[in-house]
Amino acid sequence: IVMDFKHPDGHTVAILLPRCSLLVMTGESRYLWTHGITPRKYDVIQASELGHRVRTITADVGDLTLNRRETRTSFTFRKVRRTPCNCIYPSVCDSQKGQQRPVQPSFPQNEMEASKLEQEYVHKVYEEIATHFSSTRHSPWPQIVEFLRSLPRGSIVADIGCGNGKYLGINEDLYMVGCDRSKNLVDICGEKHFQAFVCDALSVPIRSGSCDACISIAVIHHFSTAERRLATIRELARLLRPGGTALIYVWAMEQEYKNQKSKYLKEKNGNKNKDKEMNTGTAQRPLSDQGSDNSSQDSAWSDQLLNDLKDENCGAKPVADFRLPVHTNRTSFHAQDLLVPWHLRGGTKKKEESVGTVLVPSGSKESQELSPVFHRYYHVFCEGELEAVCRSLDCVRVQKSYYDQGNWCVILEKL
């Protein structure tokens, strides 16, 4: 039978349990993860492992098969603690509930809080995940390529928030320079022999009016207040000469647009890299047999947030002291301001962070480390929001506004 496991950040893993197997849960798998057996008549399993050993179900489509369920008899043995607990998982510990500060940060109420939030949940995160992030960013988006190739030969172009430099070498007829807040990503640009330097998008050390064009791809949605997002667009405009153009991409709240799902949603069941990141895990806290995919506290926060913040233009207004919900990857957004998990592939855990171990009847032992999880702050934009912010600046005009695979995009012209 297949047992489903879920991490509080939404990360899920399916484990095949053969007949007469014994599952022993320890460490993080015992105390942090939840588990349950979803009621259904068939399980999707690995054909090659049917009845052999406990293992994670992967996305190797050629090896998947349906297995009909029969009568199930299972025994669960638990040790109940009668004294106060001091474990390192307070968010799920009955003994410590109400004693710990919430894991999720609150929405920033001023400039200082916004800066601290971005430092912790944007800047530090990208320093940690730079190498893995770069390995997933290698295919340029066609409409951005089209914009860069449409620029006149010899144009000076700045890529503000260039990441690993994916767009710096698209058009060799341009003079391109990149900048990013992450030193590790800028170092990757250097390894590719691109011109890039470290700076904040709020204050770019380039002379005013010196650029023929700028691009800002998947950057502005990491700023946590409307004022800071407007300031980054104003800084882009400052760099441009009169008549210069800027292309801006931000993540859209509408991941289903005109009856079409974005690539982000379509990849939910087909992304092999994501499956590799979902290493293994076992769990202690039981879920009912109603299944492990029921709504969680996170989704409840999201629904409450959406109801509180939505106005007729789908614009979110800050609400005092609300906690940022954690998004479940490859699903639709239920809040505009949220934390998006990044499962670091190939990362190592600190020694004091114990992980789960699975024991099987034959005496063999599998021990896999869980991927470290980092949370990135995002403000996802509703339809018309980015365009409205740009139109509030009297120094630019919006040449074009469009939707591109889960992103809202504008092309600005400096007046």
Side-chain angles (χ1 to χ4, degrees), residues 29-308:
S29 66
R30 177 173 179 174
Y31 297 108
L32 187 61
W33 290 65
T34 57
H35 70 274
I37 296 174
T38 306
R40 54 181 174 241
K41 294 182 178 180
Y42 291 87
D43 283 320
V44 176
I45 65 170
Q46 305 288 150
S48 59
E49 297 295 340
L50 182 57
H52 291 288
R53 62 193 180 103
V54 177
R55 64 157 294 157
T56 305
I57 307 299
T58 70
D60 183 1
V61 178
D63 191 33
L64 295 181
T65 188
L66 284 177
N67 185 49
R68 184 179 178 85
R69 286 186 177 178
E70 299 176 6
T71 301
R72 167 172 61 92
T73 303
S74 58
F75 298 89
T76 302
F77 299 90
R78 293 191 179 93
K79 180 179 179 180
V80 180
R81 176 185 288 273
R82 302 294 184 185
T83 57
C85 178
N86 246 350
C87 72
I88 60 174
Y89 311 107
S91 63
V92 293
C93 177
D94 292 335
S95 179
Q96 300 182 68
K97 279 182 179 175
Q99 300 177 18
Q100 301 291 327
R101 298 182 64 183
V103 175
Q104 288 81 8
S106 295
F107 187 89
Q109 298 302 303
N110 54 53
E111 188 74 8
M112 181 177 294
E113 288 182 7
S115 180
K116 287 181 178 179
L117 176 69
E118 292 161 19
Q119 175 65 21
E120 189 68 27
Y121 291 93
V122 181
H123 306 156
K124 284 186 178 180
V125 173
Y126 278 100
E127 286 298 327
E128 292 286 342
I129 70 173
T131 301
H132 182 200
F133 177 82
S134 177
S135 72
T136 67
R137 298 299 188 272
H138 45 75
S139 300
W141 294 344
Q143 295 202 58
I144 301 174
V145 172
E146 181 183 341
F147 173 82
L148 291 172
R149 289 182 175 165
S150 70
L151 297 173
R153 182 185 181 92
S155 294
I156 297 172
V157 184
D159 185 347
I160 310 302
C162 63
N164 67 347
K166 180 169 68 173
Y167 295 106
L168 294 179
I170 292 297
N171 185 350
E172 294 183 356
D173 291 334
L174 306 176
Y175 293 103
M176 291 199 68
V177 61
C179 62
D180 200 279
R181 186 61 175 72
S182 167
K183 178 183 181 300
N184 289 336
L185 285 172
V186 169
D187 287 345
I188 291 172
C189 292
E191 292 168 3
K192 299 176 180 179
H193 306 292
F194 294 140
Q195 299 294 321
F197 56 89
V198 177
C199 80
D200 195 300
L202 287 168
S203 181
V204 181
I206 295 178
R207 191 178 63 209
S208 299
S210 60
C211 296
D212 298 297
C214 295
I215 61 174
S216 173
I217 311 302
V219 175
I220 294 173
H221 52 217
H222 285 308
F223 287 90
S224 55
T225 66
E227 293 78 13
R228 291 167 74 82
R229 291 188 287 273
L230 176 61
T232 59
I233 298 174
R234 184 181 290 114
E235 183 71 351
L236 286 175
R238 180 188 68 79
L239 302 178
L240 293 173
R241 62 166 175 79
T245 54
L247 174 63
I248 301 172
Y249 268 58
V250 294
W251 213 354
M253 186 162 184
E254 299 84 357
Q255 290 297 304
E256 289 193 48
Y257 186 66
K258 294 184 177 179
N259 297 321
Q260 291 288 323
K261 288 186 176 182
S262 69
K263 185 179 179 182
Y264 175 72
L265 293 185
K266 289 178 180 177
E267 288 180 347
K268 180 175 182 180
N269 298 316
N271 191 317
K272 293 185 178 179
N273 285 337
K274 288 291 176 186
D275 293 319
K276 290 178 182 177
E277 292 162 26
M278 293 170 57
N279 289 338
T280 188
T282 53
Q284 168 63 18
R285 291 188 300 132
L287 295 174
S288 71
D289 272 351
Q290 296 304 308
S292 60
D293 292 328
N294 292 339
S295 60
S296 64
Q297 187 179 17
D298 285 342
S299 63
W301 290 337
S302 300
D303 293 340
Q304 170 93 30
L305 187 61
L306 190 58
N307 292 333
D308 290 345

Side-chain angles (χ1 to χ4, degrees), residues 390-410:
C390 293
R391 291 189 188 281
S392 70
L393 295 175
D394 56 11
C395 59
V396 297
R397 74 175 183 90
V398 176
Q399 271 191 356
K400 183 180 179 182
S401 178
Y402 61 97
Y403 180 89
D404 183 16
Q405 276 300 316
N407 298 276
W408 289 113
C409 323
V410 296

